[in-house]
Amino acid sequence: MPFFDIRRLAMTVFALLSVMSGLVARELRITEANQAMEPMTVPMQRLDYNNEICALVKGVLPLEGVQFEGNTVGGILPKTGEYWVYLTPGTKMLKIKAPGHYPVMANFVNLGIGPLVSKGIYYLTIKPHGSDTLPPAVETNYVVLSVTPADAIVKIDGQPCQVVDGSVIVLLKLGSHTWQAEAVGYSTENGTFKITAANKTRIDVTLKSQKANLDVTTLPDVSVYVNGQQKGIGNLALELLPGLYNVELSRKGFRSVTHTLELKPSETVKLVQSEFDPLFGILNVNYRPVGARITLDGKYVGETPANLGNVLTGTYQLSIEAPGHTAYTQEVTITETTPVSLTGSLQKNNTTVPVMLCLDNYGKEVFITMSQWQEMHVAEQTECVKGGLFMLGDNNRLKWSLGCVAKWMKDNPNDNIWIEGYADTYTGTASSNERRAIQYVRYAYDILTKEYNIESERLSTVTYAGSLFFERVSDDWNGILIRCH
């Protein structure tokens, strides 16, 4: 007999026996299947034969004597209105049987759950087909609300909710509910939603910013303070809550400027400040030797002695330098009200051997010591460019040599020079020698600054009238020495 005939005969016999015995079998149907959001607590856990934590299926079926067949672990736990069934992770099928009902097979993949995972909790709602008297198996479900910004305050049905990383998860009864989200500097949003047994509800909320924008345009060295707190330096784009603000712009050596601004919601305010009133203080430096170079933060400001009344207020690193002496450095703070006075002498440095840059007969730059230069000069073997002595009587050669010095300084922008003027002790009076020495220095200074455009702050000058600084090389020994420092 064919297989299908045998099967049809068996079903007919089963139906006849059921009628004869007075039993009417009913069909079981799976009406809902979903994974719970709550984690499995430790007391709920059960291990399978591989010592892995099982998955838990809660079968909601208000019938007695229900059986479950499949990869079950341990006994079934009857609960009020449901059964707890533990299954090994990876299970895809579960058979459910109840007295007087046809069995039903739960295929978790087809139900949209997929293979069961360890520690997962799942709900299956099973109803006898045609039954209208059974109460709803699931009366609650989850709402997941995501909000931006993540620190917003969220209320559901008027009750505050816990917000974690911008998300709210709440289990609610089936039906309609309300939500509200608010945050400082943002508009308040609200709405309604409905909880159904079929699926959890998802809501995405992005609050609209009502913060104001403050664009500051100023100089690169200006510090910007808002209500006393520094926000940055130079040009800034700030996002602030609506309200009243004091914006202070502070620049070293200048009077601070304060603006009072009222920022309105979603407003953009532009603040431009490029002019500042300077604040000057007095710096009096009375140091020897006369003509020592004075710098503030590396910038040349004058030579000793100097009473400087045009120094911008602020804190500086002061340096005093002179050839053959140890440089002196000190931090000074210049204020608008109290002059700063410094008095003293630089210590001579007898161990320092001056080094000069010269040009040999072939146009090659060479570094030599002072004594080497003297020997080369007497022997007329070199034309000195940096560190050389020049007779004033040959202005054309001196001007050409100063041009070489200017070229060297432009090639070496970080180096500065001393221009030293000398007059001999053998001719003339002390005052006439001093005038000649000043004349030599001024001539070289003017050539370098006016004709070759060398910055004046890179040049320091000093005169030695009636000097025996070098060996006497002629009866009328006058000239200038140019060297790096």
Side-chain angles (χ1 to χ4, degrees):
M1 181 179 293
F3 172 78
F4 290 106
D5 292 338
I6 296 175
R7 182 179 180 185
R8 187 179 296 111
L9 177 60
M11 293 179 65
T12 302
V13 172
F14 179 80
L16 290 172
L17 291 175
S18 298
V19 173
M20 292 173 62
S21 61
L23 297 177
V24 180
R26 305 174 69 182
E27 183 181 359
L28 295 177
R29 288 186 180 180
I30 299 174
T31 59
E32 289 187 47
N34 52 61
Q35 182 175 0
M37 299 293 294
E38 69 266 29
M40 184 185 293
T41 60
V42 174
M44 297 170 61
Q45 295 176 3
R46 182 180 291 182
L47 299 179
D48 67 4
Y49 303 106
N50 295 318
N51 287 326
E52 290 190 61
I53 298 176
C54 295
L56 173 58
V57 173
K58 295 184 178 182
V60 181
L61 179 58
L63 296 176
E64 295 182 358
V66 180
Q67 298 179 356
F68 298 84
E69 296 178 358
N71 297 327
T72 61
V73 178
I76 309 302
L77 299 179
K79 300 289 183 177
T80 302
E82 62 184 26
Y83 295 83
W84 287 16
V85 185
Y86 289 87
L87 300 167
T88 59
T91 297
K92 299 179 181 179
M93 308 285 286
L94 178 64
K95 189 174 184 179
I96 304 140
K97 301 192 314 184
H101 296 77
Y102 294 114
V104 64
M105 183 66 73
N107 187 322
F108 296 113
V109 176
N110 293 339
L111 291 172
I113 294 176
L116 305 185
V117 299
S118 175
K119 299 182 183 180
I121 300 177
Y122 305 86
Y123 284 96
L124 288 181
T125 301
I126 308 105
K127 291 183 179 180
H129 179 58
S131 173
D132 296 327
T133 60
L134 293 177
V138 176
E139 297 181 353
T140 60
N141 210 339
Y142 284 95
V143 59
V144 179
L145 188 147
S146 300
V147 62
T148 302
D151 60 349
I153 298 173
V154 177
K155 295 180 181 180
I156 293 181
D157 295 335
Q159 298 300 315
C161 302
Q162 183 181 17
V163 182
V164 179
D165 297 330
S167 294
V168 173
I169 301 175
V170 181
L171 185 63
L172 298 171
K173 291 184 178 181
L174 304 183
S176 297
H177 300 269
T178 62
W179 63 267
Q180 177 180 301
E182 59 183 24
V184 178
Y186 294 82
S187 60
T188 299
E189 303 288 344
N190 54 66
T192 61
F193 62 96
K194 189 175 182 180
I195 293 293
T196 63
N199 296 293
K200 56 180 171 283
T201 302
R202 293 186 178 273
I203 303 174
D204 293 325
V205 178
T206 299
L207 301 183
K208 183 180 179 181
S209 175
Q210 294 203 332
K211 293 183 179 180
N213 296 302
L214 175 61
D215 294 339
V216 180
T217 301
T218 186
L219 302 177
D221 59 345
V222 174
S223 297
V224 180
Y225 295 84
V226 177
N227 288 349
Q229 182 179 4
Q230 185 173 2
K231 295 295 184 178
I233 299 176
N235 297 337
L236 294 177
L238 303 175
E239 189 179 53
L240 302 171
L241 295 174
L244 196 65
Y245 293 91
N246 288 324
V247 181
E248 180 185 359
L249 305 176
S250 176
R251 186 185 182 195
K252 179 181 177 180
F254 295 82
R255 194 178 305 279
S256 296
V257 178
T258 301
H259 297 268
T260 300
L261 304 175
E262 182 178 3
L263 303 182
K264 298 179 181 179
S266 304
E267 180 184 31
T268 297
V269 175
K270 296 183 181 295
L271 176 61
V272 179
Q273 185 73 48
S274 58
E275 295 184 0
F276 295 82
D277 294 332
L279 296 176
F280 294 106
I282 298 176
L283 174 62
N284 181 14
V285 182
N286 183 14
Y287 253 74
R288 292 182 178 275
V290 174
R293 178 183 174 90
I294 306 169
T295 61
L296 293 176
D297 288 347
K299 183 179 180 180
Y300 172 81
V301 294
E303 299 175 356
T304 60
N307 189 35
L308 307 173
N310 61 342
V311 182
L312 292 174
T313 60
T315 301
Y316 300 89
Q317 190 69 22
L318 175 139
S319 295
I320 306 173
E321 301 174 340
H325 296 77
T326 301
Y328 173 79
T329 60
Q330 176 184 329
E331 185 179 89
V332 295
T333 298
I334 308 299
T335 65
E336 191 178 13
T337 56
T338 305
V340 176
S341 297
L342 301 175
T343 303
S345 299
L346 298 180
Q347 294 183 353
K348 290 186 177 182
N349 187 355
N350 297 323
T351 61
T352 302
V353 178
V355 177
M356 299 164 291
L357 180 65
C358 298
L359 197 70
D360 64 14
N361 290 335
Y362 303 99
K364 181 180 179 182
E365 294 176 343
V366 294
F367 286 94
I368 62 174
T369 64
M370 191 72 75
S371 59
Q372 289 173 330
W373 176 84
Q374 292 177 19
E375 294 175 1
M376 296 172 71
H377 179 79
V378 173
E380 296 182 354
Q381 294 177 346
T382 186
E383 176 67 47
C384 294
V385 175
K386 191 170 185 185
L389 282 171
F390 309 99
M391 298 302 111
L392 198 62
D394 189 352
N395 284 352
N396 290 331
R397 173 172 291 186
L398 175 58
K399 188 173 181 180
W400 178 87
S401 300
L402 290 172
C404 296
V405 173
K407 179 181 181 302
W408 188 91
M409 293 189 71
K410 291 179 180 180
D411 293 339
N412 300 270
N414 295 324
D415 286 334
N416 303 322
I417 64 169
W418 284 92
I419 305 175
E420 302 173 7
Y422 293 91
D424 67 89
T425 59
Y426 299 97
T427 58
T429 64
S431 59
S432 63
N433 285 333
E434 183 177 8
R435 287 195 300 272
R436 281 199 296 272
I438 293 174
Q439 179 186 4
Y440 306 154
V441 170
R442 182 167 298 170
Y443 177 83
Y445 183 92
D446 289 343
I447 292 292
L448 290 172
T449 57
K450 296 179 180 179
E451 296 194 22
Y452 294 109
N453 298 318
I454 300 300
E455 298 88 343
S456 60
E457 57 266 21
R458 298 180 63 191
L459 309 177
S460 300
T461 61
V462 66
T463 57
Y464 297 94
S467 173
L468 288 176
F469 191 69
F470 293 122
E471 291 184 14
R472 178 165 165 259
V473 294
S474 68
D475 290 337
D476 188 11
W477 194 91
N478 304 293
I480 62 171
L481 172 65
I482 297 176
R483 57 177 166 170
C484 178
H485 71 89

